Amino acid sequence: GFWFPFYYCVKIGVLIWLLAFNGSSILYKSFIHPSLVKREKDIDALLEEAKTKGYDTFKRISSKGVRFVTNLLMEGMIRAPTVMAEFVQTGQLSIENRRFEDVTDQGGNGGVPTAGPSGAASRVRPAAATQKRNQEQQEEMDIDVPDVNGAPEESDFALDSDSERAKKDDTK
């Protein structure tokens, strides 16, 4: 390694000068303060930009979170009748990825009223009509449906700058 003669003696001398003889105030007033004053407007602009971007990011992420919870609740409300009908028919609840189809339409009766478990007549929608109705509801609620082709989704937490994002958009 490199040998510096009297390193520890010089180090202790500098520390004593900084602490005991106001050396730190002299260094600050001579070098640091003038440099900060010179760049004050740039620093303020960067802080304001960071505050604005942070607030915008918080708003965007919180609105997506609220939309996610809303969609989750709506999906649960839409699926609840189907799950209950299946439970009444089979006596069991299977935990699996369910589709928005009415399980009571197993006979393919085209929406004709049928007798339910209690013997009362109930209206059963065909699966295609149920899917179409659910798709319309999803469009009304602005639900983000993932791409079934396996295309990767763009991250909500992109750290790219505006110029990098513009370059990516130009290449697409």
Side-chain angles (χ1 to χ4, degrees):
F2 180 72
W3 180 72
F4 183 69
F6 304 106
Y7 169 76
Y8 291 105
C9 294
V10 171
K11 179 180 176 181
I12 290 184
V14 168
L15 287 175
I16 290 172
W17 176 74
L18 285 172
L19 297 173
F21 299 106
N22 265 347
S24 57
S25 295
I26 294 169
L27 285 177
Y28 179 79
K29 289 177 184 175
S30 299
F31 298 105
I32 297 172
H33 183 70
S35 176
L36 289 175
V37 168
K38 229 188 283 184
R39 294 178 178 90
E40 183 175 8
K41 290 181 183 177
D42 295 335
I43 293 169
D44 289 343
L46 287 172
L47 287 174
E48 187 63 34
E49 180 182 354
K51 185 171 79 172
T52 303
K53 282 188 177 183
Y55 179 72
D56 291 343
T57 302
F58 173 76
K59 277 184 15 183
R60 190 178 76 242
I61 290 172
S62 62
S63 69
K64 285 188 180 212
V66 167
R67 191 177 332 140
F68 174 78
V69 170
T70 303
N71 291 342
L72 188 66
L73 290 173
M74 292 302 293
E75 184 178 319
M77 288 172 37
I78 290 171
R79 290 183 181 183
T82 306
V83 172
M84 289 308 297
E86 180 181 325
F87 179 69
V88 168
Q89 286 180 352
T90 64
Q92 297 177 342
L93 283 178
S94 59
I95 301 174
E96 59 186 35
N97 190 10
R98 303 179 190 287
R99 295 176 50 120
F100 291 116
E101 295 177 7
D102 192 347
V103 294
T104 58
D105 184 28
Q106 295 173 352
N109 55 7
V112 181
T114 60
S118 64
S122 65
R123 188 94 172 135
V124 179
R125 287 194 175 114
T130 303
Q131 286 177 346
K132 183 177 180 184
R133 178 180 54 98
N134 289 331
Q135 197 171 33
E136 291 169 357
Q137 287 176 346
Q138 286 176 353
E139 290 170 1
E140 288 175 9
M141 292 186 296
D142 189 30
I143 295 177
D144 293 331
V145 179
D147 187 11
V148 293
N149 296 330
E153 292 185 18
E154 189 174 318
S155 173
D156 294 337
F157 303 102
L159 300 176
D160 298 336
S161 66
D162 294 335
S163 60
E164 289 173 337
R165 237 179 272 123
K167 287 179 187 176
K168 284 183 182 177
D169 292 341
D170 290 342
T171 58
K172 289 182 182 178

